[in-house]
Coordinates of all heavy atoms in Angstrom, one line a residue:
Q339 N 1.3 22.4 -3.2 CA 1.2 21.1 -2.9 C 1.2 20.2 -4.1 O 0.4 20.5 -5.2 CB -0.1 20.8 -2.2 CG -0.3 19.5 -1.6 CD -1.5 19.4 -0.7 OE1 -2.0 20.4 -0.3 NE2 -1.9 18.2 -0.4
F340 N 2.0 19.2 -4.2 CA 2.2 18.3 -5.3 C 1.9 16.9 -4.9 O 2.8 16.3 -4.2 CB 3.5 18.5 -6.0 CG 3.9 19.8 -6.5 CD1 4.5 20.8 -5.8 CD2 3.5 20.1 -7.8 CE1 4.8 22.0 -6.2 CE2 3.6 21.4 -8.3 CZ 4.3 22.4 -7.6
P341 N 0.9 16.2 -5.3 CA 0.7 14.8 -5.0 C 1.8 14.0 -5.8 O 1.8 14.2 -7.1 CB -0.7 14.5 -5.4 CG -1.3 15.8 -5.5 CD -0.4 16.8 -5.9
V342 N 2.5 13.1 -5.2 CA 3.5 12.4 -5.8 C 3.5 10.9 -5.7 O 4.3 10.1 -6.3 CB 5.0 12.9 -5.5 CG1 5.2 14.3 -6.1 CG2 5.3 12.8 -4.1
Y343 N 2.6 10.4 -4.9 CA 2.4 9.0 -4.7 C 0.9 8.7 -4.3 O 0.2 9.6 -3.9 CB 3.5 8.5 -3.7 CG 3.2 8.9 -2.2 CD1 2.5 8.0 -1.3 CD2 3.8 10.0 -1.7 CE1 2.3 8.4 -0.1 CE2 3.4 10.5 -0.4 CZ 2.7 9.6 0.4 OH 2.5 10.0 1.7
R344 N 0.7 7.4 -4.3 CA -0.7 6.9 -4.0 C -0.5 5.8 -2.9 O 0.3 4.9 -3.1 CB -1.2 6.3 -5.2 CG -2.7 5.7 -5.0 CD -3.2 5.2 -6.3 NE -3.4 6.3 -7.2 CZ -3.1 6.3 -8.5 NH1 -2.6 5.2 -9.1 NH2 -3.2 7.3 -9.3
T345 N -1.3 5.8 -1.9 CA -1.4 4.8 -0.9 C -2.5 3.8 -1.4 O -3.5 4.1 -1.6 CB -1.8 5.4 0.4 OG1 -0.8 6.3 0.9 CG2 -1.8 4.2 1.5
E346 N -2.0 2.6 -1.5 CA -2.9 1.6 -2.0 C -3.1 0.5 -1.0 O -2.1 0.0 -0.5 CB -2.3 0.9 -3.3 CG -3.3 -0.1 -3.9 CD -2.7 -0.7 -5.1 OE1 -1.6 -0.2 -5.6 OE2 -3.4 -1.6 -5.6
I347 N -4.3 0.2 -0.5 CA -4.7 -0.7 0.4 C -4.8 -2.1 -0.3 O -5.6 -2.3 -1.2 CB -6.1 -0.4 1.2 CG1 -5.9 1.1 1.8 CG2 -6.4 -1.5 2.2 CD1 -4.8 1.1 2.8
L348 N -4.0 -3.1 0.2 CA -4.0 -4.3 -0.5 C -4.8 -5.3 0.3 O -5.0 -5.2 1.4 CB -2.4 -4.9 -0.6 CG -1.5 -3.9 -1.4 CD1 -0.1 -4.5 -1.3 CD2 -2.0 -3.8 -2.8
D349 N -5.2 -6.3 -0.5 CA -5.9 -7.5 0.2 C -5.0 -8.6 0.2 O -4.5 -9.1 -0.8 CB -7.1 -7.8 -0.6 CG -8.0 -9.0 0.0 OD1 -7.7 -9.3 1.1 OD2 -8.8 -9.5 -0.7
N350 N -4.6 -9.1 1.5 CA -3.7 -10.2 1.6 C -4.4 -11.4 2.3 O -4.7 -11.3 3.5 CB -2.6 -9.7 2.6 CG -1.5 -10.8 2.7 OD1 -1.7 -12.0 2.7 ND2 -0.3 -10.3 2.9
P351 N -4.8 -12.4 1.5 CA -5.6 -13.5 1.9 C -4.9 -14.3 3.1 O -5.5 -14.9 3.8 CB -5.8 -14.4 0.7 CG -4.8 -13.9 -0.3 CD -4.4 -12.4 0.1
D352 N -3.5 -14.3 3.1 CA -2.8 -15.0 4.1 C -3.1 -14.4 5.6 O -3.1 -15.1 6.6 CB -1.3 -14.9 3.9 CG -0.8 -15.7 2.7 OD1 -1.6 -16.7 2.4 OD2 0.2 -15.4 2.2
L353 N -3.3 -13.1 5.6 CA -3.7 -12.5 7.0 C -5.0 -13.1 7.4 O -5.1 -13.5 8.6 CB -3.8 -11.0 6.8 CG -4.3 -10.3 8.1 CD1 -3.3 -10.4 9.2 CD2 -4.6 -8.8 7.8
K354 N -6.1 -13.3 6.6 CA -7.3 -13.8 7.0 C -7.0 -15.2 7.6 O -7.7 -15.5 8.5 CB -8.3 -13.8 5.9 CG -9.7 -14.0 6.3 CD -10.7 -13.8 5.1 CE -12.1 -13.8 5.6 NZ -13.0 -13.5 4.5
K355 N -6.2 -16.0 7.0 CA -5.9 -17.3 7.5 C -5.2 -17.4 8.7 O -5.5 -18.2 9.7 CB -5.0 -18.1 6.4 CG -5.8 -18.4 5.1 CD -4.9 -19.0 4.1 CE -5.5 -19.0 2.7 NZ -4.5 -19.4 1.7

Side-chain angles (χ1 to χ4, degrees):
Q339 186 170 346
F340 297 95
V342 295
Y343 70 94
R344 176 179 298 138
T345 302
E346 183 178 356
I347 305 299
L348 303 175
D349 183 10
N350 185 329
D352 290 338
L353 174 66
K354 193 171 189 175
K355 292 176 194 170

